Amino acid sequence: MKDQAAPDDRAGASAERLTTRETAERLGVKPETVYAYVSRGQLSSRRAPGGRGSTFDAAEVDALVRRTGRRDPSPATGDLVFRTGITLIESDRYYFRGVDATELATHFAYEEVAEWLWTGELRPGLRFTAPAEALAAARRAVGALPAHSGSTDRLRVALVAAAAADPLRFDLSRETVLGSARSLIPTLVGALPTVAGAPPAADGEAASHPAGLAHRLWPKLAARPADEASLAVLDTALGLLIDHDLAASTLAARVAASARAHPYAVISAGLGVLEGPLHGAASSLAHRMLTDVLERGGAAPVVADHLRTGRQVPGLGHRLYTAEDPRARTLFALLAEVPQAAPALAAARDVVATAARHTPLHANVDLALAVLSVASGMDAEAGETVFAVSRTAGWIAHALEEYDERPLRMRPSGQYGGPRPPQPLPTPGSATTTHGQGLQ
């Protein structure tokens, strides 16, 4: 990397400078937005001669135009908007690099879809393998956890162990990050304990034809051996869940990548958000609801209980789709080919039909994951495990994009609402109450 010119050298002095108005016109935004870019670290400014206003480096402004495109100011909703070439969601469908994601997930294995998302290249037959040292370290770390630990706890601990075993984790070059990702995902799966009574997990690391990730993940989730139809559902679910634009966990991952955190730390940021009941853990609520429906012989009393207590019916509705979640629709079609899934699938349909009398909501992917977990005798958190393992690939894809952006560009400014200074120094036992001081 070449040394950057000092601000007062000849090159810097002769560089074209733009006024705030010129900068706003070139970016296609309001002048106020220009200073928002400065506060987020996306632009640097310099005081104009005489101290009147600011000036901006034209080359830096043009680079921002290339990254973000010339567009109107962001909508007044306050939503963050980032340009990405990974996932597009529109008209109740979603696409990975322009290709229908449901078609990709039903025709190709999880590893192949992940590689497509990362590189735009399809590599048929690709299988990820875990390095022996990282896998052993991750298993030891997970084995030291209390027996009641959840799957997300185990994944986080396995992630830390795998990171410690990777001396190149701070190398953010594209090929190194991709190499780490291809080895990390099977390490996370391999570190999870096998369900009691299940056949041993087929790690397949030393085999000439390693088992696919879905085949290796199954005994970590279910005691009964997997049939081909059930494995197809699991593999498709992994492919469908890889990415979904800037979901909350993905935004957290991009913030970490913007700070140039290494990929393991990026994934840790994503896992921290994913565990919330409104995100990756939502399928566990749908699992318990379906179990309740099956035990009570119908959806009506279960849905009524949710409505009576003001709780949202799990597995219904999605802010990005007006009709049925395409991921749910795809999985329901595959689950219809699994004989033992018939009762749980019928219960899910009953929930949708019953709830539709009160609210026009359609099934989302959490309900489909719940059908898979209930029908397969998995624990309630199995859907969360599938979600976390799958979405790891998406977080890597977004990290790769973010590593190419200006560092620390996501730096919003807070709107302070506390006591106005100057305030006296606090004394022992004193306290300032700020509850109820809303912004006017």
Side-chain angles (χ1 to χ4, degrees):
M1 180 176 175
K2 295 182 180 179
D3 293 334
Q4 294 182 345
D8 58 350
D9 69 5
R10 290 185 179 181
S14 62
E16 181 186 2
R17 306 292 299 182
L18 302 175
T19 66
T20 302
R21 180 181 59 79
E22 292 169 338
T23 300
E25 289 177 351
R26 191 169 295 196
L27 288 167
V29 300
K30 296 179 179 179
E32 294 87 348
T33 306
V34 173
Y35 291 102
Y37 285 138
V38 173
S39 68
R40 296 169 188 161
Q42 293 175 272
L43 278 179
S44 58
S45 63
R46 185 189 305 169
R47 298 297 297 175
R52 296 178 61 83
S54 300
T55 65
F56 302 83
D57 186 326
E60 189 177 39
V61 172
D62 289 339
L64 181 59
V65 170
R66 289 192 295 271
R67 292 199 306 271
T68 64
R70 184 184 178 94
R71 64 177 187 267
D72 294 330
S74 298
T77 59
D79 292 341
L80 291 173
V81 178
F82 300 102
R83 290 179 63 84
T84 175
I86 298 171
T87 301
L88 170 68
I89 302 176
E90 66 177 13
S91 302
D92 285 334
R93 300 174 69 182
Y94 76 118
Y95 307 84
F96 291 158
R97 296 192 179 276
V99 179
D100 188 292
T102 61
E103 291 291 317
L104 277 171
T106 52
H107 285 83
F108 300 102
Y110 169 75
E111 295 96 318
E112 296 163 347
V113 178
E115 190 73 16
W116 169 260
L117 205 67
W118 294 337
T119 68
E121 179 183 356
L122 185 64
R123 297 174 59 187
L126 176 67
R127 295 292 180 266
F128 297 157
T129 56
E133 182 180 3
L135 182 58
R139 283 175 170 166
R140 287 195 300 270
V142 169
L145 290 174
H148 66 266
S149 300
S151 63
T152 307
D153 296 323
R154 296 185 175 108
L155 289 172
R156 278 199 297 259
V157 168
L159 177 66
V160 172
D166 184 0
L168 300 180
R169 64 185 179 276
F170 295 104
D171 182 353
L172 303 186
S173 63
R174 184 175 185 83
E175 286 308 312
T176 301
V177 171
L178 286 172
S180 297
R182 295 183 187 114
S183 64
L184 171 62
I185 295 174
T187 298
L188 295 178
V189 171
L192 293 173
T194 300
V195 174
D203 291 332
E205 306 300 343
S208 58
H209 300 286
L213 197 79
H215 194 276
R216 285 180 260 176
L217 179 59
W218 183 273
K220 313 291 185 171
L221 304 173
R224 72 170 179 83
D227 55 90
E228 288 302 316
S230 297
L231 271 179
V233 177
L234 177 58
D235 192 40
T236 302
L238 288 167
L240 290 170
L241 292 166
I242 283 182
D243 190 56
H244 208 232
D245 194 33
L246 283 175
S249 59
T250 303
L251 177 59
R254 288 198 76 129
V255 171
S258 178
R260 295 304 182 260
H262 58 69
Y264 299 88
V266 167
I267 294 167
S268 180
L271 282 174
V273 177
L274 188 73
E275 196 174 12
L278 301 181
H279 196 7
S283 62
S284 64
L285 302 177
H287 176 107
R288 294 183 177 94
M289 177 190 65
L290 284 187
T291 301
D292 197 10
V293 170
L294 290 170
E295 291 176 350
R296 299 174 71 172
V302 178
V303 171
D305 285 347
H306 280 79
L307 296 176
R308 185 180 301 115
T309 56
R311 291 174 293 159
Q312 182 178 347
V313 180
L316 300 183
H318 197 289
R319 62 177 296 192
L320 298 180
Y321 301 115
T322 57
E324 189 174 53
D325 185 334
R327 301 169 296 178
R329 183 171 60 250
T330 301
L331 291 178
F332 284 151
L334 291 175
L335 285 162
E337 303 298 320
V338 181
Q340 62 267 30
L345 187 56
R349 296 298 192 197
D350 192 10
V351 168
V352 174
T354 303
R357 304 172 194 167
H358 309 277
T359 179
L361 295 177
H362 299 274
N364 62 36
V365 72
D366 297 313
L367 189 60
L369 288 174
V371 172
L372 172 63
S373 59
V374 170
S376 305
M378 299 174 180
D379 288 339
E381 65 177 9
E384 182 180 354
T385 305
V386 175
F387 208 122
V389 169
S390 171
R391 192 57 61 89
T392 298
W395 295 330
I396 290 294
H398 282 273
L400 288 169
E401 274 197 341
E402 196 59 43
Y403 288 152
D404 287 336
E405 296 286 352
R406 181 185 179 90
L408 293 173
R409 67 191 181 113
M410 285 174 262
R411 179 60 175 87
S413 298
Q415 189 171 0
Y416 180 73
R420 296 300 304 171
Q423 295 287 322
L425 282 174
T427 58
S430 65
T432 299
T433 301
T434 58
H435 298 296
Q437 294 183 358
L439 298 177
Q440 303 298 318

mmCIF file of all heavy atoms in Angstrom, residues 31-54:
data_model
loop_
_atom_site.group_PDB
_atom_site.id
_atom_site.type_symbol
_atom_site.label_atom_id
_atom_site.label_comp_id
_atom_site.label_asym_id
_atom_site.label_seq_id
_atom_site.Cartn_x
_atom_site.Cartn_y
_atom_site.Cartn_z
ATOM 1 N N PRO A 31 -27.583 18.921 1.266
ATOM 2 C CA PRO A 31 -26.358 19.310 1.984
ATOM 3 C C PRO A 31 -26.272 18.697 3.379
ATOM 4 O O PRO A 31 -25.173 18.344 3.836
ATOM 5 C CB PRO A 31 -26.468 20.844 2.043
ATOM 6 C CG PRO A 31 -27.274 21.206 0.841
ATOM 7 C CD PRO A 31 -28.285 20.095 0.697
ATOM 8 N N GLU A 32 -27.428 18.548 4.048
ATOM 9 C CA GLU A 32 -27.414 17.947 5.388
ATOM 10 C C GLU A 32 -26.880 16.514 5.349
ATOM 11 O O GLU A 32 -26.214 16.051 6.282
ATOM 12 C CB GLU A 32 -28.822 17.953 5.988
ATOM 13 C CG GLU A 32 -29.367 19.338 6.278
ATOM 14 C CD GLU A 32 -30.065 19.958 5.059
ATOM 15 O OE1 GLU A 32 -29.920 19.396 3.950
ATOM 16 O OE2 GLU A 32 -30.744 20.985 5.217
ATOM 17 N N THR A 33 -27.192 15.813 4.246
ATOM 18 C CA THR A 33 -26.745 14.421 4.126
ATOM 19 C C THR A 33 -25.234 14.338 3.946
ATOM 20 O O THR A 33 -24.605 13.365 4.366
ATOM 21 C CB THR A 33 -27.467 13.746 2.948
ATOM 22 O OG1 THR A 33 -28.875 13.897 3.104
ATOM 23 C CG2 THR A 33 -27.139 12.268 2.873
ATOM 24 N N VAL A 34 -24.654 15.374 3.329
ATOM 25 C CA VAL A 34 -23.194 15.393 3.168
ATOM 26 C C VAL A 34 -22.523 15.329 4.536
ATOM 27 O O VAL A 34 -21.565 14.568 4.753
ATOM 28 C CB VAL A 34 -22.752 16.653 2.401
ATOM 29 C CG1 VAL A 34 -21.224 16.761 2.394
ATOM 30 C CG2 VAL A 34 -23.289 16.628 0.977
ATOM 31 N N TYR A 35 -23.030 16.099 5.479
ATOM 32 C CA TYR A 35 -22.432 16.093 6.815
ATOM 33 C C TYR A 35 -22.750 14.806 7.569
ATOM 34 O O TYR A 35 -21.990 14.401 8.461
ATOM 35 C CB TYR A 35 -22.893 17.334 7.598
ATOM 36 C CG TYR A 35 -22.295 18.605 7.038
ATOM 37 C CD1 TYR A 35 -23.047 19.459 6.236
ATOM 38 C CD2 TYR A 35 -20.960 18.911 7.274
ATOM 39 C CE1 TYR A 35 -22.485 20.605 5.699
ATOM 40 C CE2 TYR A 35 -20.388 20.060 6.745
ATOM 41 C CZ TYR A 35 -21.153 20.897 5.950
ATOM 42 O OH TYR A 35 -20.580 22.021 5.421
ATOM 43 N N ALA A 36 -23.853 14.154 7.203
ATOM 44 C CA ALA A 36 -24.129 12.835 7.778
ATOM 45 C C ALA A 36 -23.066 11.842 7.308
ATOM 46 O O ALA A 36 -22.604 10.992 8.075
ATOM 47 C CB ALA A 36 -25.519 12.361 7.379
ATOM 48 N N TYR A 37 -22.656 11.959 6.026
ATOM 49 C CA TYR A 37 -21.584 11.102 5.524
ATOM 50 C C TYR A 37 -20.286 11.354 6.295
ATOM 51 O O TYR A 37 -19.527 10.426 6.595
ATOM 52 C CB TYR A 37 -21.340 11.361 4.038
ATOM 53 C CG TYR A 37 -22.382 10.792 3.108
ATOM 54 C CD1 TYR A 37 -22.861 11.525 2.020
ATOM 55 C CD2 TYR A 37 -22.882 9.507 3.290
ATOM 56 C CE1 TYR A 37 -23.814 11.003 1.148
ATOM 57 C CE2 TYR A 37 -23.828 8.977 2.427
ATOM 58 C CZ TYR A 37 -24.292 9.729 1.357
ATOM 59 O OH TYR A 37 -25.215 9.212 0.508
ATOM 60 N N VAL A 38 -20.034 12.610 6.631
ATOM 61 C CA VAL A 38 -18.823 12.948 7.385
ATOM 62 C C VAL A 38 -18.881 12.326 8.767
ATOM 63 O O VAL A 38 -17.905 11.724 9.245
ATOM 64 C CB VAL A 38 -18.661 14.481 7.478
ATOM 65 C CG1 VAL A 38 -17.488 14.834 8.404
ATOM 66 C CG2 VAL A 38 -18.441 15.080 6.096
ATOM 67 N N SER A 39 -20.038 12.426 9.433
ATOM 68 C CA SER A 39 -20.154 11.893 10.790
ATOM 69 C C SER A 39 -20.017 10.386 10.814
ATOM 70 O O SER A 39 -19.597 9.807 11.818
ATOM 71 C CB SER A 39 -21.495 12.305 11.406
ATOM 72 O OG SER A 39 -22.575 11.666 10.759
ATOM 73 N N ARG A 40 -20.374 9.726 9.690
ATOM 74 C CA ARG A 40 -20.262 8.270 9.623
ATOM 75 C C ARG A 40 -18.898 7.811 9.132
ATOM 76 O O ARG A 40 -18.655 6.618 8.982
ATOM 77 C CB ARG A 40 -21.340 7.706 8.683
ATOM 78 C CG ARG A 40 -22.765 7.930 9.173
ATOM 79 C CD ARG A 40 -23.759 7.592 8.098
ATOM 80 N NE ARG A 40 -25.125 7.969 8.473
ATOM 81 C CZ ARG A 40 -26.126 8.126 7.611
ATOM 82 N NH1 ARG A 40 -25.913 7.941 6.324
ATOM 83 N NH2 ARG A 40 -27.316 8.467 8.039
ATOM 84 N N GLY A 41 -18.012 8.749 8.829
ATOM 85 C CA GLY A 41 -16.676 8.383 8.376
ATOM 86 C C GLY A 41 -16.600 8.050 6.909
ATOM 87 O O GLY A 41 -15.595 7.512 6.436
ATOM 88 N N GLN A 42 -17.665 8.379 6.127
ATOM 89 C CA GLN A 42 -17.652 8.064 4.706
ATOM 90 C C GLN A 42 -17.008 9.167 3.874
ATOM 91 O O GLN A 42 -16.645 8.941 2.721
ATOM 92 C CB GLN A 42 -19.086 7.809 4.220
ATOM 93 C CG GLN A 42 -19.708 6.558 4.819
ATOM 94 C CD GLN A 42 -21.159 6.401 4.430
ATOM 95 O OE1 GLN A 42 -22.043 6.916 5.101
ATOM 96 N NE2 GLN A 42 -21.412 5.697 3.363
ATOM 97 N N LEU A 43 -16.902 10.363 4.432
ATOM 98 C CA LEU A 43 -16.244 11.489 3.780
ATOM 99 C C LEU A 43 -15.412 12.228 4.809
ATOM 100 O O LEU A 43 -15.751 12.254 5.999
ATOM 101 C CB LEU A 43 -17.274 12.456 3.185
ATOM 102 C CG LEU A 43 -17.904 12.161 1.822
ATOM 103 C CD1 LEU A 43 -18.901 13.259 1.469
ATOM 104 C CD2 LEU A 43 -16.846 12.036 0.744
ATOM 105 N N SER A 44 -14.340 12.860 4.342
ATOM 106 C CA SER A 44 -13.567 13.746 5.207
ATOM 107 C C SER A 44 -13.739 15.171 4.700
ATOM 108 O O SER A 44 -13.928 15.400 3.513
ATOM 109 C CB SER A 44 -12.089 13.352 5.198
ATOM 110 O OG SER A 44 -11.566 13.382 3.878
ATOM 111 N N SER A 45 -13.692 16.124 5.597
ATOM 112 C CA SER A 45 -13.913 17.521 5.222
ATOM 113 C C SER A 45 -12.756 18.371 5.732
ATOM 114 O O SER A 45 -11.986 17.967 6.610
ATOM 115 C CB SER A 45 -15.236 18.032 5.796
ATOM 116 O OG SER A 45 -15.204 18.021 7.209
ATOM 117 N N ARG A 46 -12.647 19.574 5.162
ATOM 118 C CA ARG A 46 -11.621 20.527 5.580
ATOM 119 C C ARG A 46 -12.260 21.915 5.583
ATOM 120 O O ARG A 46 -13.067 22.227 4.688
ATOM 121 C CB ARG A 46 -10.429 20.489 4.629
ATOM 122 C CG ARG A 46 -9.256 21.363 5.060
ATOM 123 C CD ARG A 46 -8.208 21.440 3.973
ATOM 124 N NE ARG A 46 -7.742 20.140 3.530
ATOM 125 C CZ ARG A 46 -6.988 19.955 2.455
ATOM 126 N NH1 ARG A 46 -6.658 20.986 1.694
ATOM 127 N NH2 ARG A 46 -6.603 18.733 2.128
ATOM 128 N N ARG A 47 -11.925 22.713 6.568
ATOM 129 C CA ARG A 47 -12.481 24.055 6.623
ATOM 130 C C ARG A 47 -12.032 24.856 5.411
ATOM 131 O O ARG A 47 -10.871 24.823 4.993
ATOM 132 C CB ARG A 47 -12.044 24.791 7.890
ATOM 133 C CG ARG A 47 -12.513 24.145 9.184
ATOM 134 C CD ARG A 47 -14.020 24.120 9.294
ATOM 135 N NE ARG A 47 -14.608 25.452 9.341
ATOM 136 C CZ ARG A 47 -15.911 25.686 9.342
ATOM 137 N NH1 ARG A 47 -16.770 24.673 9.280
ATOM 138 N NH2 ARG A 47 -16.374 26.930 9.388
ATOM 139 N N ALA A 48 -12.960 25.598 4.809
ATOM 140 C CA ALA A 48 -12.633 26.431 3.657
ATOM 141 C C ALA A 48 -11.784 27.621 4.093
ATOM 142 O O ALA A 48 -11.815 28.027 5.263
ATOM 143 C CB ALA A 48 -13.921 26.921 2.996
ATOM 144 N N PRO A 49 -10.987 28.179 3.181
ATOM 145 C CA PRO A 49 -10.197 29.370 3.528
ATOM 146 C C PRO A 49 -11.098 30.461 4.098
ATOM 147 O O PRO A 49 -12.164 30.753 3.570
ATOM 148 C CB PRO A 49 -9.590 29.790 2.183
ATOM 149 C CG PRO A 49 -9.541 28.516 1.388
ATOM 150 C CD PRO A 49 -10.758 27.742 1.799
ATOM 151 N N GLY A 50 -10.672 31.044 5.186
ATOM 152 C CA GLY A 50 -11.487 32.065 5.824
ATOM 153 C C GLY A 50 -12.471 31.507 6.818
ATOM 154 O O GLY A 50 -13.195 32.260 7.469
ATOM 155 N N GLY A 51 -12.512 30.151 6.929
ATOM 156 C CA GLY A 51 -13.373 29.521 7.918
ATOM 157 C C GLY A 51 -14.841 29.501 7.569
ATOM 158 O O GLY A 51 -15.680 29.249 8.428
ATOM 159 N N ARG A 52 -15.195 29.781 6.301
ATOM 160 C CA ARG A 52 -16.604 29.792 5.913
ATOM 161 C C ARG A 52 -16.938 28.479 5.207
ATOM 162 O O ARG A 52 -16.594 28.274 4.050
ATOM 163 C CB ARG A 52 -16.899 30.981 4.985
ATOM 164 C CG ARG A 52 -16.694 32.327 5.668
ATOM 165 C CD ARG A 52 -16.959 33.460 4.680
ATOM 166 N NE ARG A 52 -18.324 33.445 4.182
ATOM 167 C CZ ARG A 52 -19.357 33.986 4.831
ATOM 168 N NH1 ARG A 52 -19.164 34.585 6.013
ATOM 169 N NH2 ARG A 52 -20.573 33.944 4.318
ATOM 170 N N GLY A 53 -17.603 27.573 5.914
ATOM 171 C CA GLY A 53 -18.017 26.309 5.319
ATOM 172 C C GLY A 53 -16.893 25.295 5.255
ATOM 173 O O GLY A 53 -15.787 25.502 5.768
ATOM 174 N N SER A 54 -17.173 24.186 4.586
ATOM 175 C CA SER A 54 -16.209 23.092 4.454
ATOM 176 C C SER A 54 -15.980 22.769 2.991
ATOM 177 O O SER A 54 -16.817 23.073 2.127
ATOM 178 C CB SER A 54 -16.720 21.835 5.172
ATOM 179 O OG SER A 54 -16.923 22.081 6.544
#
